[in-house]
Amino acid sequence: MPTQDPSSSRSSPRALWALVLAGTAVRYYHGASHQLWNGAPDQLAWGLGLEDLHATGAITYEQLMHYPHEGGSLFLGLVALLFAPLSGLLPPLSWAALAVDTVARVAQIRVAQRLVDERTALWFAAWTVFAAPVMLPWGTVNFGLHAAFSFAPFLLAVMVSDPRRSVERMGLCCGLLASLAYDAWVFAPAFALLLVTTDGTLKTRVRHLLSFALACALGFLPHLLLRLFAQDGFGLEDHGALSIRGLEQEPVDISALPAKCWQVCTTALSASFTLGAATDPLVRALSIIVLAFLAAGAWGLRRQWASISPALRTLVYTTVVFVGVVIAAPFFQPRSEGSGYLYYRYFAFIAPLIALLVLHGAAALGRMRRAVSVAWITLGVLLSVVYMVRSRPITTPNMEATGWVLARKYGDRPAVLMRIIQRAPTNQHHDLVYGAGWGLTAALFDGKSIRDSAAVDTFEELWKLFPHDQRAALQRGVVRAFDTGITPPLDPALLPRLRERMEP
């Protein structure tokens, strides 16, 4: 089946813009009515850093961005500053998330119009309005960037569709997009697979692969240089230039991969569209329904495979590579009780692409096409509406966890840390300082033992730099870091040593 019907009439631009704006309205309503940012310590900590930056007038790379591996957060931080006058309606970072989310959906719809037939593109545009619960919170919650840059594989795929495509330009763009969000790297092996399986001599394939890899590295180089030489915080943590919050250091149990593969493919991937826990019987039933749609889409794509365009073929490869990375890498660990947008955050990067592929696969189902497409969109609407109705507003910001995040980033400079904490309302200072003591201790002593005297000496040096009137709350946070069940677990033998160093 051809991927595009030249005779089909193009959808009205007004209709498509109406769908985009409707999606923005849905996300704004959900975020504003539930105040989702209050449950996002990463955003709250980042926001306080931006408030301090705005107040001091000193633009710094460290405070504009959030985690070092999230290169795109630098751009989002700049966008947030533009929305500072509207902070009474939404936090500036939430405005930035909403703006980027809107642009991402525009890009995805426009690319869909280029890659698939107009009817499928219109179905996809309709799906984006309510999408699925996995996408909705990220319209006003700002960290992680998996959802914000979910348009990356779409943009790269439309470049594949260009008959005059250059592997060098493809690699450069892939590296640049990966510098914004590392998720974009899943496109690289997918495109490499396309190059290997296309016609051409072995010499040509090798040359194209090497050129693509070199261009990827070149596009990623500015981000790497920033990570190597720019001040980006987290001075207390000993992570490498390409570290992802140290998660990449988690051990991988090879023997557990088959079971993890089964869990991800049969449960986690489909359950992510609901954001529910697999232990819930209703969520499990809904996950099976989602899985049925994924299977129908895959079967439809298989029927079209001989005539499918290289761009769409690359998107299929991208989806497979993404799932493979989720299975093999230590970042996502399936838990039967896992739920919520934070637990399923990685899947937000690939969910729009999966939705498009399901709708395109439905095009091969003949008379069933319309029924399957309508049912797929309706399922998304129902899941999203129920999710919004059942979600409880978060009226109290989690300032203890926010202080934890701030201390891990600025804890090596107590003066800066306390200056940023002072930007928060006065009634939140105690919880922030308490959380800072907890985070400072976690950053210094994660993986350390009583024998690591250098870390204890560093703790004492930093302790003396904190204001005397804040040390009581700070000390309670230090003790909290050693409580049973706290992550990361610390060596309890260290606590008596730290108590000695905290004595007046």
Side-chain angles (χ1 to χ4, degrees), residues 15-27 101-102 104-110 112 120-132 135-136 154 351-353 355-356 359 376-377 380-381 384:
L16 293 176
W17 276 110
L19 292 172
V20 170
L21 294 177
T24 301
V26 168
R27 287 153 179 78
D101 178 271
T102 301
R105 282 180 285 114
V106 170
Q108 290 163 356
I109 292 169
R110 295 292 292 173
T120 300
L122 183 58
W123 286 125
F124 175 68
W127 179 87
T128 64
V129 175
F130 283 91
M135 302 303 300
L136 292 188
F154 287 79
L353 178 52
L356 176 62
L359 291 168
W376 175 239
I377 295 168
V381 172
S384 293

Side-chain angles (χ1 to χ4, degrees), residues 212-331:
F212 176 69
L214 181 61
C216 281
L218 186 61
F220 193 70
L221 183 61
H223 170 74
L224 180 59
L225 292 176
L226 281 173
R227 291 207 61 175
L228 285 171
F229 301 111
Q231 169 74 339
D232 53 21
F234 299 94
L236 297 176
E237 303 187 21
D238 185 21
H239 295 322
L242 294 178
S243 174
I244 305 176
R245 292 190 298 143
L247 293 176
E248 75 288 342
Q249 299 176 13
E250 295 293 325
V252 176
D253 184 358
I254 302 297
S255 64
L257 289 183
K260 186 179 179 183
C261 177
W262 176 257
Q263 290 175 301
V264 170
C265 293
T266 64
T267 303
L269 178 61
S270 53
S272 70
F273 280 76
T274 73
L275 291 188
T279 51
D280 185 331
L282 178 58
V283 171
R284 184 56 186 156
L286 290 170
S287 299
I288 293 173
I289 294 173
V290 172
L291 195 61
F293 277 103
L294 302 188
W299 183 76
L301 289 170
R302 180 66 185 88
R303 290 191 63 185
Q304 305 174 62
W305 195 252
S307 60
I308 202 170
S309 70
L312 280 170
R313 191 168 297 190
T314 307
L315 289 181
V316 174
Y317 293 156
T318 300
T319 305
V320 173
V321 171
F322 175 87
V323 174
V325 170
V326 169
I327 293 168
F331 307 121

Side-chain angles (χ1 to χ4, degrees), residues 52-59:
D52 179 71
L53 183 150
H54 188 266
T56 60
I59 303 296

